[in-house]
């Protein structure tokens, strides 16, 4: 199925011109939305939970008060959907469309979506659809309102998924550095990578978050076993991500780092440090995908004459093969079969 998605991305690229941009993006988003709406509820661990939530809503049963009051836009979408398949469609359609509309040129759009599919975005979309819908709204609002209004964009997108409020300070910090023309020393990137690896090996994030949730939110879903990866898979992904960080730092060592690069970098560090522990990894995922999209418009634009960028895409292909075809992806998302 993922190869069909790649084919659709490339096909959309070739039929895109200055006159039909929005029509092509609508066609692409609708097609992806229809495909995702037809999936089994067993495709993506959270899909089944969304289905049960949908059933409680339409039957006027007790709903999750946290979602109703703190994520009302998501609750509105799922509660107003005439069927669960329509809900799956509209969430995926909006996710793809909102992200696509932030691209003005087809080459950067192609670069962005190739990086997304190779680094697991389409896989995660079968599972964490609520989080990615919120992220897509966040990305769209940043594009329309400007980077200086990050907190406003985060608050609005947080009405779909609260993770956008959490990642807003990270983004604002790098926007602040850009505005003040402050550069992060290159040695600091390597030191932060080393620090994140130490956090991963020692599992400090896992112990701290687990301890906090056990005391203050004992009913949290994140205390369930399903949100913890096995050591082999968690460490395997940590190694791939660590090497990717090393590639990025080495290739762009002598270049001024953009906001997108820094967001991508911090997202990768959180993914590494989480070593598969969901609460931290999901925050890292949001920053990672946002950074990928922003970098695809600058450092990582697909260019056959730039060997550094080509190597990044080849590494992304290797990551795709390992996580999807060879199935070392952790429990969060179930690959299409």
């Amino acid at each position: 199925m993922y190869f069909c998605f790649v084919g659709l991305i490339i096909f959309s690229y070739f039929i895109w011109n200055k006159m039909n941009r929005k029509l092509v993006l609508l066609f692409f988003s609708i097609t992806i939305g229809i495909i995702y709406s037809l999936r089994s509820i067993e495709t993506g661990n959270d899909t089944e939970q969304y289905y049960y939530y949908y059933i409680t809503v339409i039957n006027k049963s007790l709903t999750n008060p946290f979602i109703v009051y703190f994520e009302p836009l998501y609750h509105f979408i799922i509660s107003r959907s005439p069927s669960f398949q329509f809900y799956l469609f509209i969430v995926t359609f909006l996710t793809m469309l909102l992200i696509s509309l932030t691209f003005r040129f087809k080459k950067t759009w192609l670069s962005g979506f190739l990086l997304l599919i190779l680094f697991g975005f389409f896989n995660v979309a079968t599972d964490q659809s609520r989080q990615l819908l919120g992220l897509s709204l966040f990305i769209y609002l940043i594009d329309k309102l400007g980077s200086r209004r990050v907190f406003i964009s985060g608050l609005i997108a947080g009405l779909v998924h609260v993770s956008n409020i959490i990642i807003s300070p990270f983004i604002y910090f790098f926007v602040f550095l850009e505005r003040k023309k402050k550069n992060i020393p290159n040695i600091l990137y390597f030191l932060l990578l080393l620090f994140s690896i130490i956090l991963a090996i020692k599992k400090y994030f896992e112990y701290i978050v687990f301890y906090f949730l056990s005391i203050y939110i004992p009913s949290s879903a994140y205390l369930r076993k399903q949100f913890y990866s096995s050591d082999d898979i968690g460490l395997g992904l940590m190694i791939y991500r660590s090497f990717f960080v090393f590639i990025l730092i080495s290739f762009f060592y002598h270049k001024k780092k953009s906001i997108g690069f820094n967001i991508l970098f911090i997202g990768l560090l959180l993914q590494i440090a989480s070593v598969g522990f969901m609460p931290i990894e999901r925050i890292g995922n949001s920053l990672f995908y946002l950074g990928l999209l922003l970098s695809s418009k600058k450092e990582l634009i697909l260019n056959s004459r730039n060997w550094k960028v080509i190597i990044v895409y080849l590494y992304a292909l290797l990551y795709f093969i390992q996580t999807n075809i060879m199935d070392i992806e952790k429990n969060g998302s179930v690959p299409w079969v």
Side-chain angles (χ1 to χ4, degrees):
M1 185 60 75
Y2 291 116
F3 295 107
C4 294
F5 294 150
V6 171
L8 181 61
I9 291 170
I10 295 173
F11 175 73
S12 299
Y13 169 79
F14 279 110
I15 65 173
W16 178 322
N17 58 49
K18 293 181 180 179
M19 302 295 294
N20 67 3
R21 168 179 169 265
K22 290 186 178 179
L23 286 176
V24 170
L25 297 182
L26 274 173
F27 161 76
F28 172 79
S29 302
I30 289 172
T31 305
I32 297 293
I34 291 173
I35 293 172
Y36 273 71
S37 71
L38 298 176
R39 74 183 189 267
S40 164
I41 64 171
E42 295 177 355
T43 303
N45 287 344
D46 283 359
T47 307
E48 189 172 353
Q49 311 231 357
Y50 295 143
Y51 175 72
Y52 288 137
Y53 186 78
Y54 173 77
I55 293 298
T56 64
V57 168
I58 64 172
N59 290 327
K60 309 298 183 182
S61 301
L62 180 65
T63 55
N64 187 328
F66 180 86
I67 291 177
V68 174
Y69 295 113
F70 294 100
E71 298 174 337
L73 285 181
Y74 163 74
H75 177 74
F76 175 83
I77 292 172
I78 196 168
S79 63
R80 295 297 187 273
S81 296
S83 69
F84 186 65
Q85 284 67 35
F86 180 85
Y87 160 75
L88 293 177
F89 165 79
I90 200 67
V91 167
T92 306
F93 165 73
L94 288 175
T95 299
M96 299 301 169
L97 183 63
L98 289 171
I99 291 175
S100 294
L101 288 174
T102 63
F103 290 90
R104 308 293 184 270
F105 306 102
K106 68 177 187 178
K107 190 170 185 178
T108 54
W109 179 86
L110 175 68
S111 303
F113 271 86
L114 284 179
L115 287 172
L116 286 182
I117 195 167
L118 292 175
F119 278 112
F121 184 89
F122 281 64
N123 192 6
V124 175
T126 67
D127 181 47
Q128 301 164 27
S129 55
R130 179 164 56 99
Q131 178 183 349
L132 294 190
L133 174 60
L135 178 63
S136 67
L137 178 60
F138 193 17
I139 293 168
Y140 179 80
L141 290 172
I142 290 175
D143 181 68
K144 295 301 179 184
L145 301 180
S147 57
R148 294 194 178 189
R149 295 182 175 87
V150 166
F151 286 113
I152 296 176
S153 300
L155 286 172
I156 297 173
L159 299 177
V160 178
H161 198 275
V162 294
S163 62
N164 296 291
I165 298 175
I166 298 174
I167 68 175
S168 295
F170 291 95
I171 301 168
Y172 184 80
F173 174 72
F174 294 121
V175 171
F176 174 80
L177 291 182
E178 177 86 359
R179 199 163 66 241
K180 296 296 183 180
K181 298 181 180 180
K182 301 287 186 180
N183 293 323
I184 299 175
N186 284 309
I187 187 63
L188 187 58
Y189 287 99
F190 288 106
L191 291 176
L192 288 173
L193 172 59
L194 179 61
F195 181 64
S196 67
I197 292 174
I198 294 173
L199 288 177
I201 294 173
K202 299 294 185 179
K203 293 189 175 182
Y204 284 136
F205 268 135
E206 181 177 322
Y207 295 139
I208 292 171
V209 174
F210 187 88
Y211 177 78
F212 176 85
L213 292 177
S214 299
I215 295 177
Y216 297 102
I217 316 178
S219 60
S220 173
Y222 289 113
L223 292 173
R224 299 173 192 164
K225 186 177 180 180
Q226 72 187 78
F227 292 101
Y228 297 81
S229 66
S230 69
D231 290 339
D232 292 339
I233 294 177
L235 290 174
L237 288 174
M238 184 198 76
I239 293 171
Y240 276 100
R241 289 163 174 166
S242 299
F243 195 67
F244 184 47
V245 172
F246 185 79
I247 289 174
L248 290 175
I249 298 174
S250 301
F251 284 180
F252 301 101
Y253 188 84
H254 296 293
K255 290 188 176 182
K256 186 178 183 299
K257 312 300 188 297
S258 69
I259 294 174
F261 179 94
N262 286 323
I263 293 174
L264 172 62
F265 177 79
I266 200 68
L268 277 165
L269 292 189
L270 285 175
Q271 287 179 331
I272 293 166
S274 73
V275 72
F277 180 48
M278 270 293 189
I280 304 302
E281 187 182 50
R282 288 191 172 185
I283 300 300
N285 285 347
S286 291
L287 289 167
F288 173 69
Y289 289 129
L290 173 59
L292 270 185
L293 289 166
L294 294 176
S295 297
S296 68
K297 300 177 182 179
K298 291 188 177 181
E299 295 96 341
L300 300 181
I301 296 177
L302 189 59
N303 187 343
S304 59
R305 284 178 274 183
N306 188 330
W307 64 269
K308 293 181 179 180
V309 172
I310 293 299
I311 290 177
V312 169
Y313 278 80
L314 289 175
Y315 187 79
L317 178 61
L318 175 63
Y319 186 91
F320 172 82
I321 292 171
Q322 290 293 312
T323 55
N324 291 286
I325 298 176
M326 298 184 71
D327 196 17
I328 71 161
E329 177 65 283
K330 48 181 291 299
N331 53 49
S333 301
V334 181
W336 294 76
V337 179

